[in-house]
Amino acid sequence: MKLFDTHAHYTDNAFNTDRSELLERLLPAAGVAAAVTAGVDVESARASAALAEKYDYIYAAAGLHPEDCAGAGEAELEEIRRLCRHPKVVAVGEIGLDYYWAENPPKEFQQEIFRRQLALAREEGLPVIVHDREAHGDSLAIVKEFPEAAGVFHCFSGSPEMAQELIKRGWYLGFDGPITYKNAKRAPEVVAVTPLDRIVVETDAPYLSPVPNRGKRNDSRNLPYIVEKLAEWKGVTPEEMAEITYENGLRLFPKIRDCEAF
Ligand code: NI
């Protein structure tokens, strides 16, 4: 199986003890042929680009996450723009809105930083990776302000209706470990209305491990559990689903094909 993990955080401290072994040996041995490691602030975006320089199959995204954008201003946005011009930074992300945690920056501030980064992605010609937690209405309304914006709604948790609205506008939907949980009721309905060519698979490592590894640190070796669940729902083989989602990932992040390492 050739796998593409379109969303992970390999700069996270959770990987400090064994990052090299995992990225050099374990993931390639498990068929992970491509992975995008996403920044959540300036420091992790820089570190993500550095990881991408070190490993051929690793690509990076640079962005300010809604949970980590407190105090961000022109200097941070300019640094994200500079990183976007790095040959292996293939998307602006992860960006968006998170209304789940009370201690997050105020909604209005999150929205401003989200809009600024959507504009930046448009100017730099890159797709975006959107984080939308408990903020479906506002996330959809804001991306509609940028009709030419393209990218993925990561770990999609909206309704089938919202999925259809995004698909119509050219977006991809990312599916993660939670689709394997027993209480995943909406996911099968969302997947049912999502065409095969708009599905990508993600781990969000080190978070969101799928069953049977729920609760443990996640990494891209767990992708087959997500691929198998999607394959079951879509009536294709896991091998076909892996191939389809790999190709979808390359279409979602067109800059990858320009990379020397590809
Ligand atoms: Ni993430």
Side-chain angles (χ1 to χ4, degrees):
M1 239 189 239
K2 192 161 94 173
L3 300 161
F4 190 162
D5 186 349
T6 55
H7 191 117
H9 299 280
Y10 283 120
T11 61
D12 194 281
N13 288 338
F15 297 106
N16 283 356
T17 53
D18 59 350
R19 184 177 293 106
S20 308
E21 192 197 13
L22 189 68
L23 298 182
E24 268 161 33
R25 200 168 62 78
L26 300 179
L27 299 191
V32 179
V36 171
T37 187
V40 296
D41 55 17
V42 163
E43 193 192 344
S44 60
R46 271 194 210 118
S48 296
L51 272 190
E53 281 174 15
K54 206 165 164 196
Y55 304 101
D56 282 356
Y57 72 101
I58 301 279
Y59 302 89
L64 308 174
H65 190 290
E67 284 175 53
D68 302 275
C69 70
E74 299 307 321
E76 287 76 16
L77 289 163
E78 275 317 300
E79 180 62 5
I80 295 299
R81 183 187 301 279
R82 193 187 67 80
L83 285 165
C84 284
R85 295 174 183 168
H86 184 288
K88 289 198 80 184
V89 171
V90 300
V92 176
E94 112 178 51
I95 65 174
L97 303 174
D98 191 312
Y99 297 168
Y100 181 77
W101 302 104
E103 64 269 34
N104 280 351
K107 288 180 182 181
E108 297 68 30
F109 185 73
Q110 291 188 33
Q111 291 166 9
E112 186 197 330
I113 295 295
F114 186 26
R115 285 194 179 94
R116 290 289 304 269
Q117 294 183 98
L118 284 164
L120 191 155
R122 176 178 59 198
E123 288 151 18
E124 298 300 319
L126 288 179
V128 296
I129 299 171
V130 175
H131 171 105
D132 158 25
R133 189 166 187 198
E134 307 280 326
H136 303 318
D138 287 350
S139 296
L140 185 59
I142 290 175
V143 299
K144 279 182 178 176
E145 295 170 17
F146 295 82
E148 69 300 323
V152 57
F153 266 62
H154 139 70
C155 197
F156 183 74
S157 57
S159 65
E161 293 71 31
M162 181 179 175
Q164 284 170 309
E165 184 71 36
L166 288 168
I167 289 157
K168 198 173 74 186
R169 290 166 185 273
W171 290 82
Y172 289 77
L173 304 182
F175 296 95
D176 306 55
I179 71 164
T180 66
Y181 302 169
K182 270 210 176 70
N183 62 359
K185 293 198 178 69
R186 201 136 79 156
E189 295 167 23
V190 168
V191 170
V193 301
T194 305
L196 274 173
D197 65 359
R198 298 299 182 83
I199 295 173
V200 291
V201 286
E202 328 176 311
T203 55
D204 206 21
Y207 313 106
L208 305 181
S209 275
V211 172
N213 294 321
R214 190 174 180 178
K216 297 183 191 153
R217 187 187 76 174
N218 198 6
D219 69 55
S220 309
R221 288 173 296 173
N222 284 323
L223 275 182
Y225 298 114
I226 302 161
V227 166
E228 280 161 23
K229 184 54 81 178
L230 290 167
E232 181 193 319
W233 289 343
K234 282 302 209 188
V236 299
T237 66
E239 289 71 23
E240 286 166 334
M241 186 54 80
E243 180 64 27
I244 290 165
T245 52
Y246 179 83
E247 291 298 327
N248 292 349
L250 293 183
R251 240 183 300 111
L252 165 60
F253 303 116
K255 197 168 160 184
I256 289 182
R257 290 192 192 271
D258 301 332
C259 289
E260 219 174 298
F262 178 70

